[in-house]
Amino acid sequence: MRHYLPLTFLMLTLAAAFSLVDAADSSNAKPPANASPLELKTWKALQQPISLTMEEMPLSEVLREISRQNGINLFLDSLGLQEVGLTPKTPVTIEVKGIKSKSVLNLLLEPMDLAYIIRDEVVVITSRTRSLGKPYVASYPVADLAVPVPLAGPVPADETEPVPNTPAIDFESLIDLIQSTVDPESWETVGGNGSIQPHAASQSLVIRQTSQTHQRIENLLTELRRQQDCQISLEMHFLENVPEDFWEQIGLDLDKQKTTRQQPQNNGPLEGIILTDKEVALLLNEAQNNARTNLIQAPQVTLLNAQTAGVTNYTTGGKQHPLQHPCYIQPVISADRRDIRLNLRISNPKLSAAAMWTCVNTVPDRQTILIEIAQQKTEIPVTVKTADTDELVYKYTSVEQTRSFLFIRPKIIVQDEEEKALFSGP
């Protein structure tokens, strides 16, 4: 029986084949954690480019040439060849130039229903069925993936406080994802041999599958964790009782800036403007030196992507105090990790439940947004003497209107990047 790889077919479809090979070769995406030094050397050698020009040469001779060029040990599994009706002398034709050894093997073996696996420190050429190996059982701890993050955004205006919820572990969604994306036809639910069962006590999944499928499952879980490995740190300040002349003292015309400078996307009644780091420093310094203005630094909050937090108190003098304008905030990271969408709800407990506002602003990473949250009149007591008794009487006189603001500086934290920066050294 002769099997040919037509030269024209290889040359015309080579570019497309590269992407298909990488997709089909996901089981060989990276070496296992317990790989020996020689196996690690083999994995590395498979990434090296080689060139082949062989016409109607025995399969064993082609494989010998591949071994010579990249220095890897190749072993032909005779039982695997018999399973697909081949022998080491089956002639093949192939011409490739400067592509990875693993891609050459896939291009060579796939049309013959063969595959390669790295086992016992050699590259074994066998049938695709035998390359899958015998199913075995492994457990995967998945508490970090199966316990959902609370994603409820800021509560509606008719709720006085958000209702906390404790999400239960959700095995079902994760199991559905694995079975629908990793070798979908291999699971017993559709007639295959693979099985997957949750184990609640250890918050793990117990999976029976072949070696390659286990590797793909591990790759999927690793990618899910990488995508979930982003957090947002929120630095927040409240600026209360700000007089009208405050902005003139620091050289900012706030109302004019709202119409002339960069503004974030906003679909609510609360407008915001982006401040520079210099303007933030100037603002904080002036607020600290202004006797009429209250500058309150809220506790720094670190959240998972799309998680909601309530900021209702601040600490000073070792005691907690309620904020005049408590807020509930939900940051959502953009796909390119450059911006954060802030879903915000702000309220005033002293007023009615209707005195609540919600807004959505998109803020660039590590930049500060200033949001006006309230306008109010400040009243001060004055003393006057009565005409008949000459006694001092305290009365309240309305003075200038003051305003309150919130400014937020979100920072995206990617754990692997933080760890690299921490351990890379000077």
Side-chain angles (χ1 to χ4, degrees), residues 340-384:
I340 302 96
R341 187 176 73 245
L342 298 177
N343 302 334
L344 187 66
R345 191 205 77 170
I346 301 173
S347 60
N348 188 340
K350 295 181 180 179
L351 302 179
S352 65
M356 301 181 185
W357 302 271
T358 61
C359 67
V360 178
N361 289 290
T362 299
V363 185
D365 181 31
R366 306 187 188 208
Q367 292 195 26
T368 302
I369 182 173
L370 178 71
I371 302 173
E372 184 172 0
I373 58 178
Q375 295 187 9
Q376 63 275 341
K377 292 182 178 180
T378 302
E379 296 182 338
I380 59 172
V382 296
T383 57
V384 296

Side-chain angles (χ1 to χ4, degrees), residues 239 246-247 250 275 279-287 370 407:
L239 202 58
F246 176 86
W247 303 104
I250 62 175
L275 299 178
E279 289 171 334
V280 172
L282 185 63
L283 177 61
L284 291 175
N285 182 68
E286 185 63 28
L370 178 71
F407 51 101

Side-chain angles (χ1 to χ4, degrees), residues 33-152:
N34 60 350
S36 68
L38 186 55
E39 288 175 339
L40 291 175
K41 182 179 179 180
T42 301
W43 284 93
K44 186 175 181 180
L46 287 172
Q47 309 302 316
Q48 302 304 313
I50 63 173
S51 299
L52 282 178
T53 302
M54 308 191 80
E55 184 175 354
E56 294 196 37
M57 295 294 293
L59 175 62
S60 58
E61 290 296 324
V62 177
L63 294 176
R64 187 174 292 111
E65 177 62 19
I66 295 175
S67 176
R68 186 191 67 79
Q69 289 196 35
N70 62 13
I72 61 176
N73 294 317
L74 292 168
F75 174 77
L76 267 174
D77 177 22
S78 58
L79 294 178
L81 292 181
Q82 291 176 15
E83 190 175 284
V84 294
L86 302 177
T87 71
K89 295 183 179 181
T90 299
V92 295
T93 295
I94 183 171
E95 180 174 345
V96 291
K97 183 177 181 180
I99 67 173
K100 293 180 180 180
S101 299
K102 68 170 189 175
S103 299
V104 174
L105 286 174
N106 279 289
L107 288 169
L108 177 67
L109 302 175
E110 186 175 356
M112 296 184 286
D113 203 23
L114 297 176
Y116 76 91
I117 56 174
I118 299 177
R119 187 177 65 200
D120 298 329
E121 300 185 340
V122 299
V123 177
V124 179
I125 309 299
T126 186
S127 67
R128 185 166 297 277
T129 301
R130 288 174 64 86
S131 72
L132 297 177
K134 294 182 179 180
Y136 65 92
V137 175
S139 64
Y140 296 84
V142 293
D144 57 329
L145 298 174
V147 177
V149 175
L151 298 182

Side-chain angles (χ1 to χ4, degrees), residues 268-394:
L270 302 182
E271 296 183 353
I273 60 172
I274 302 297
L275 299 178
T276 65
D277 291 343
K278 183 178 180 180
E279 289 171 334
V280 172
L282 185 63
L283 177 61
L284 291 175
N285 182 68
E286 185 63 28
Q288 290 172 339
N289 296 323
N290 192 305
R292 293 180 292 173
T293 300
N294 297 328
L295 176 63
I296 299 172
Q297 180 172 354
Q300 185 166 322
V301 179
T302 301
L303 302 170
L304 296 176
N305 189 19
Q307 192 175 18
T308 297
V311 182
T312 59
N313 298 282
Y314 68 98
T315 302
T316 182
K319 296 182 179 180
Q320 282 198 341
H321 304 274
L323 285 168
Q324 182 179 349
H325 297 94
C327 67
Y328 298 91
I329 187 167
Q330 180 191 43
V332 181
I333 302 174
S334 65
D336 58 7
R337 296 183 179 178
R338 294 183 179 180
D339 303 297
I340 302 96
R341 187 176 73 245
L342 298 177
N343 302 334
L344 187 66
R345 191 205 77 170
I346 301 173
S347 60
N348 188 340
K350 295 181 180 179
L351 302 179
S352 65
M356 301 181 185
W357 302 271
T358 61
C359 67
V360 178
N361 289 290
T362 299
V363 185
D365 181 31
R366 306 187 188 208
Q367 292 195 26
T368 302
I369 182 173
L370 178 71
I371 302 173
E372 184 172 0
I373 58 178
Q375 295 187 9
Q376 63 275 341
K377 292 182 178 180
T378 302
E379 296 182 338
I380 59 172
V382 296
T383 57
V384 296
K385 290 184 178 180
T386 59
D388 50 350
T389 63
D390 203 33
E391 293 180 351
L392 292 177
V393 178
Y394 288 93

Side-chain angles (χ1 to χ4, degrees), residues 137-141 202 204-207 214:
V137 175
S139 64
Y140 296 84
S202 62
S204 301
L205 293 178
V206 180
I207 301 176
H214 275 298

Side-chain angles (χ1 to χ4, degrees), residues 9-23 107:
F9 173 79
L10 286 173
M11 299 301 290
L12 291 174
T13 62
L14 197 54
F18 292 161
S19 59
L20 293 175
V21 164
D22 288 337
L107 288 169

